Amino acid sequence: MADKLTASVRDAEKAKEPASSPSNMTAQSTSATDTNSKNSVPDDASKNPVGFIRPSELVELVKAYDSDADEDLLNKAYVFAMEAHGDQTRQSGDAYFTHPLAVAAILTELRADPATVATALLHDVVEDTEVSIKEIQSNFGEEVARLVDGVTKISRIELRDEASKQAENFRKLVVAMADDVRVLLVKLADRLHNMRTLHHIQKSEKRRRIAKETMEIFAPLAGRIGVQRIREELEDISFREISPEAHATITARIDDLQTHSVGGVVELANVLREKLHEQGLKAQVTSREKRAYSIWRKMSEKNVSFDELADIYAFRVIVDSIPDCYLALGVIHSSWRMIPTEFDDYISAPKSNNYRSIHTAVIGPPSKDGRRQRIEIQIRTFEMHETAERGVAAHWQYKDPGQRKERSVEIVTPGGFDPYETPRRLVEMFQAGEDPDEALQYAKLELFQDQVFCFSPQHRVIALPKGSTPVDFAYAVHTDVGDQCIGAKINGSQRPLRTALKTGDVVEILRSENAPVPAEWESIAVTGRARSAIRRRIKKMQNDEHLVLGRSIAESVFTGAHLRFSVKGVRAGLKKLGKKSVEDVLVSVGRGDLPVHDLIEAVYPGASIESEGEIQPGSLREFKPRVAISGLTPGVSVKMARCCTPLPGERIVGIRQDDGAVTVHTIYCDKLAQEDPAQSRWLDLQWRNQEDEDTSAITRISATIQNGVGVLSEIAGIIARYGISIASIRLQNRSKDFVELLMDVEVKDARQLTQALAGIRAAPSVISAERTGSESDGQL
């Protein structure tokens, strides 16, 4: 096998025309995006050498920054992938192998380790050819096989176009990159090349969908691990597809500006170099390129015109050491007046992706027309510049340099930077039981925002999106800290939890083990992590409340129906109810989603009957020993009118129906007045002495209550204190703030109901509570 691959490498070297430079190669290697066309084509088309880079040239690119790179690994991966893809092509008509080769070249620009470059060459062979992961492992080892498998699993989800699959795709990505961040680097390089060739996709709707996903997910992810050059290019290409007119307009203005301002830029750069040189500072001074998307974003965020932004010159000063950074800052500030609101020191307080620089802005010397130019300046060391450009890849170190076959890569970063922090936070959201689509939205919030940097009392730096509150800070420290938060001190003073934090704030979280989590916290929180944790805890508290309430209601109704309630019995009825556990059943009852009558039917089939469209427990239908009404003919069928639900102690009247049954109404019933039955149908009825009779009746209470945690339990507790049993409960007309509660309750008489209603209305969470009728008459 080794001899065959060696021969194939030699053949590949001879077959290819002289290659262009790596940067040209990546631009020339055109292809479609992730959803590629790989149809067989005539031999002459598939062998087109345009855009190819030779195996030896790829090896040299890697060895330029890693002299101990495994040449055999790279050569084998090159030939293996080329032969596996064979005659496959992309939508551009290019040989498909140009794509993995372009991805590998992009990663060499980031100085990726040989295993990552090999993974780039092989990243599509398992998905798009007959090659298996086992074959990858046997030929290239465990490390490369694991990386290829991680990229392959993501790609398999990406091939599905449905919008509903985006959340699952993103979940796969964050899980894979939490295991090894190099999977993300390969995926970012893959997406970058696909975006460079996005124009080959014919359907504009598909191009926009891919561009939007890139802007919302892949570009922010590149920023979070510090790969700014990839982030900026992904943003610009996506912006061009999503807003082509805005992109074209701004690009034209930038080109025109650069043409007319080049002299001023060169002059200012020379002045800056001279001032630094006069103080003995060796510095590299360069102008910073203005990008269309960056300008558009600033125009939107700051509500300024292009001309206002265009009037700003931007430079980067790179020096040898950190002390030289601050010396350069002193020279600049002593030469020109600084703009206080534009100063940020990311050396003393690095960003979460380990970005370090000093940002400042000054009012520079006057131009030829007499106007003073605003100058933005970034000051950093060469090491910081490498980190800013290559991100996490700038800190790779190789272990066991003398044993190339067994070398592995590790990330060694200054300042405690953890490149896996963002992936782990995102994985936590997806693994915490959140709805995938909801978790995706929270993840976008986590990724797609600028940051402020705050401190704990122990001097730990916490990076948060702009606009974050102490609630976000608490959950960023730890989920337990957020769950126990009851207040916060900012810079030593207690402040409201909705206070927006600023860079430099020292935040102390006040905690209590029994702290509640108000529902409004979700609107206070800004970060996806905090919102996800708050939503999760509220759901758990509501679930616990519904569980207790559901069990109480079920036990009450079972007892009223003279049936024994048991967990074993409910478990036996799970299949009929379509539930997975007894807890699910009781929660559904407490939430009002499952009528308790359905539960009785599942546990005791035949114990309930359908009466005029309403299913009721059999014992609640029969009113025999508990009805104490004088004036009825023995044996006659009696129905209690549900429009007014007569109760013992109220004045009542009977109306004889055509079938001989009697319907009992209160004397003041509105429905009775509307129907105005013939006088011959009226019967004079009254309740017998209640002290001698064990009487009771079912009536309905309608209450509007605040939609909060613990409210249902509070109402149930009030009703229980008055000795009233709840027969059924239903929630309707739910909103974020309020919910309507309908309860059928069993009371002894009208006086007991009046007292209970007074107690319910007195509860702070109750807006209103009234006795009401229901839809149908209940036969007694």
PDB file of all heavy atoms in Angstrom, residues 460-474:
ATOM      1  N   ARG A 460     -11.509  37.887  38.954  1.00  0.00           N
ATOM      2  CA  ARG A 460     -11.721  37.065  37.762  1.00  0.00           C
ATOM      3  C   ARG A 460     -12.410  37.912  36.694  1.00  0.00           C
ATOM      4  O   ARG A 460     -13.368  38.621  36.978  1.00  0.00           O
ATOM      5  CB  ARG A 460     -12.568  35.847  38.106  1.00  0.00           C
ATOM      6  CG  ARG A 460     -12.915  34.981  36.911  1.00  0.00           C
ATOM      7  CD  ARG A 460     -13.828  33.837  37.313  1.00  0.00           C
ATOM      8  NE  ARG A 460     -14.342  33.132  36.153  1.00  0.00           N
ATOM      9  CZ  ARG A 460     -15.284  32.180  36.209  1.00  0.00           C
ATOM     10  NH1 ARG A 460     -15.783  31.831  37.387  1.00  0.00           N
ATOM     11  NH2 ARG A 460     -15.691  31.598  35.113  1.00  0.00           N
ATOM     12  N   VAL A 461     -11.901  37.847  35.464  1.00  0.00           N
ATOM     13  CA  VAL A 461     -12.486  38.612  34.371  1.00  0.00           C
ATOM     14  C   VAL A 461     -13.650  37.819  33.763  1.00  0.00           C
ATOM     15  O   VAL A 461     -13.515  36.652  33.422  1.00  0.00           O
ATOM     16  CB  VAL A 461     -11.441  38.912  33.271  1.00  0.00           C
ATOM     17  CG1 VAL A 461     -12.079  39.701  32.126  1.00  0.00           C
ATOM     18  CG2 VAL A 461     -10.276  39.683  33.853  1.00  0.00           C
ATOM     19  N   ILE A 462     -14.804  38.471  33.637  1.00  0.00           N
ATOM     20  CA  ILE A 462     -15.989  37.846  33.037  1.00  0.00           C
ATOM     21  C   ILE A 462     -16.368  38.657  31.799  1.00  0.00           C
ATOM     22  O   ILE A 462     -16.689  39.845  31.907  1.00  0.00           O
ATOM     23  CB  ILE A 462     -17.175  37.805  34.017  1.00  0.00           C
ATOM     24  CG1 ILE A 462     -16.791  37.072  35.299  1.00  0.00           C
ATOM     25  CG2 ILE A 462     -18.393  37.154  33.360  1.00  0.00           C
ATOM     26  CD1 ILE A 462     -16.485  35.601  35.130  1.00  0.00           C
ATOM     27  N   ALA A 463     -16.304  38.040  30.624  1.00  0.00           N
ATOM     28  CA  ALA A 463     -16.686  38.699  29.373  1.00  0.00           C
ATOM     29  C   ALA A 463     -18.170  38.481  29.121  1.00  0.00           C
ATOM     30  O   ALA A 463     -18.655  37.350  29.181  1.00  0.00           O
ATOM     31  CB  ALA A 463     -15.866  38.147  28.211  1.00  0.00           C
ATOM     32  N   LEU A 464     -18.888  39.567  28.833  1.00  0.00           N
ATOM     33  CA  LEU A 464     -20.337  39.503  28.629  1.00  0.00           C
ATOM     34  C   LEU A 464     -20.721  40.369  27.435  1.00  0.00           C
ATOM     35  O   LEU A 464     -20.017  41.328  27.102  1.00  0.00           O
ATOM     36  CB  LEU A 464     -21.073  40.013  29.877  1.00  0.00           C
ATOM     37  CG  LEU A 464     -20.893  39.210  31.168  1.00  0.00           C
ATOM     38  CD1 LEU A 464     -21.376  40.045  32.355  1.00  0.00           C
ATOM     39  CD2 LEU A 464     -21.664  37.899  31.090  1.00  0.00           C
ATOM     40  N   PRO A 465     -21.849  40.070  26.778  1.00  0.00           N
ATOM     41  CA  PRO A 465     -22.319  40.952  25.710  1.00  0.00           C
ATOM     42  C   PRO A 465     -22.680  42.332  26.263  1.00  0.00           C
ATOM     43  O   PRO A 465     -23.066  42.460  27.423  1.00  0.00           O
ATOM     44  CB  PRO A 465     -23.575  40.231  25.179  1.00  0.00           C
ATOM     45  CG  PRO A 465     -23.427  38.818  25.612  1.00  0.00           C
ATOM     46  CD  PRO A 465     -22.681  38.867  26.913  1.00  0.00           C
ATOM     47  N   LYS A 466     -22.553  43.348  25.413  1.00  0.00           N
ATOM     48  CA  LYS A 466     -22.950  44.687  25.817  1.00  0.00           C
ATOM     49  C   LYS A 466     -24.417  44.699  26.209  1.00  0.00           C
ATOM     50  O   LYS A 466     -25.242  44.071  25.569  1.00  0.00           O
ATOM     51  CB  LYS A 466     -22.712  45.674  24.674  1.00  0.00           C
ATOM     52  CG  LYS A 466     -21.253  46.068  24.507  1.00  0.00           C
ATOM     53  CD  LYS A 466     -21.087  47.156  23.466  1.00  0.00           C
ATOM     54  CE  LYS A 466     -19.621  47.572  23.361  1.00  0.00           C
ATOM     55  NZ  LYS A 466     -19.427  48.620  22.319  1.00  0.00           N
ATOM     56  N   GLY A 467     -24.729  45.436  27.292  1.00  0.00           N
ATOM     57  CA  GLY A 467     -26.099  45.485  27.785  1.00  0.00           C
ATOM     58  C   GLY A 467     -26.403  44.436  28.829  1.00  0.00           C
ATOM     59  O   GLY A 467     -27.513  44.387  29.358  1.00  0.00           O
ATOM     60  N   SER A 468     -25.427  43.580  29.156  1.00  0.00           N
ATOM     61  CA  SER A 468     -25.657  42.524  30.146  1.00  0.00           C
ATOM     62  C   SER A 468     -25.902  43.108  31.533  1.00  0.00           C
ATOM     63  O   SER A 468     -25.485  44.225  31.849  1.00  0.00           O
ATOM     64  CB  SER A 468     -24.462  41.567  30.195  1.00  0.00           C
ATOM     65  OG  SER A 468     -24.360  40.829  29.006  1.00  0.00           O
ATOM     66  N   THR A 469     -26.567  42.329  32.368  1.00  0.00           N
ATOM     67  CA  THR A 469     -26.952  42.741  33.717  1.00  0.00           C
ATOM     68  C   THR A 469     -26.271  41.843  34.743  1.00  0.00           C
ATOM     69  O   THR A 469     -25.630  40.842  34.382  1.00  0.00           O
ATOM     70  CB  THR A 469     -28.474  42.628  33.876  1.00  0.00           C
ATOM     71  OG1 THR A 469     -28.834  41.228  33.779  1.00  0.00           O
ATOM     72  CG2 THR A 469     -29.205  43.409  32.791  1.00  0.00           C
ATOM     73  N   PRO A 470     -26.384  42.162  36.034  1.00  0.00           N
ATOM     74  CA  PRO A 470     -25.836  41.273  37.058  1.00  0.00           C
ATOM     75  C   PRO A 470     -26.385  39.844  36.976  1.00  0.00           C
ATOM     76  O   PRO A 470     -25.705  38.896  37.392  1.00  0.00           O
ATOM     77  CB  PRO A 470     -26.255  41.956  38.361  1.00  0.00           C
ATOM     78  CG  PRO A 470     -26.314  43.406  38.024  1.00  0.00           C
ATOM     79  CD  PRO A 470     -26.839  43.449  36.615  1.00  0.00           C
ATOM     80  N   VAL A 471     -27.602  39.687  36.469  1.00  0.00           N
ATOM     81  CA  VAL A 471     -28.149  38.335  36.287  1.00  0.00           C
ATOM     82  C   VAL A 471     -27.291  37.558  35.297  1.00  0.00           C
ATOM     83  O   VAL A 471     -26.948  36.393  35.529  1.00  0.00           O
ATOM     84  CB  VAL A 471     -29.613  38.403  35.801  1.00  0.00           C
ATOM     85  CG1 VAL A 471     -30.125  37.015  35.440  1.00  0.00           C
ATOM     86  CG2 VAL A 471     -30.499  39.035  36.864  1.00  0.00           C
ATOM     87  N   ASP A 472     -26.908  38.195  34.192  1.00  0.00           N
ATOM     88  CA  ASP A 472     -26.023  37.544  33.221  1.00  0.00           C
ATOM     89  C   ASP A 472     -24.672  37.233  33.855  1.00  0.00           C
ATOM     90  O   ASP A 472     -24.096  36.165  33.629  1.00  0.00           O
ATOM     91  CB  ASP A 472     -25.822  38.449  32.002  1.00  0.00           C
ATOM     92  CG  ASP A 472     -27.109  38.720  31.253  1.00  0.00           C
ATOM     93  OD1 ASP A 472     -27.686  37.763  30.714  1.00  0.00           O
ATOM     94  OD2 ASP A 472     -27.537  39.880  31.210  1.00  0.00           O
ATOM     95  N   PHE A 473     -24.158  38.174  34.637  1.00  0.00           N
ATOM     96  CA  PHE A 473     -22.873  37.977  35.305  1.00  0.00           C
ATOM     97  C   PHE A 473     -22.937  36.760  36.217  1.00  0.00           C
ATOM     98  O   PHE A 473     -22.027  35.910  36.212  1.00  0.00           O
ATOM     99  CB  PHE A 473     -22.521  39.227  36.112  1.00  0.00           C
ATOM    100  CG  PHE A 473     -21.173  39.177  36.785  1.00  0.00           C
ATOM    101  CD1 PHE A 473     -20.066  39.731  36.162  1.00  0.00           C
ATOM    102  CD2 PHE A 473     -21.020  38.588  38.027  1.00  0.00           C
ATOM    103  CE1 PHE A 473     -18.820  39.689  36.776  1.00  0.00           C
ATOM    104  CE2 PHE A 473     -19.785  38.537  38.650  1.00  0.00           C
ATOM    105  CZ  PHE A 473     -18.675  39.094  38.018  1.00  0.00           C
ATOM    106  N   ALA A 474     -24.005  36.652  37.000  1.00  0.00           N
ATOM    107  CA  ALA A 474     -24.144  35.537  37.952  1.00  0.00           C
ATOM    108  C   ALA A 474     -24.129  34.191  37.234  1.00  0.00           C
ATOM    109  O   ALA A 474     -23.428  33.261  37.642  1.00  0.00           O
ATOM    110  CB  ALA A 474     -25.432  35.695  38.755  1.00  0.00           C
TER     111      ALA A 474
END
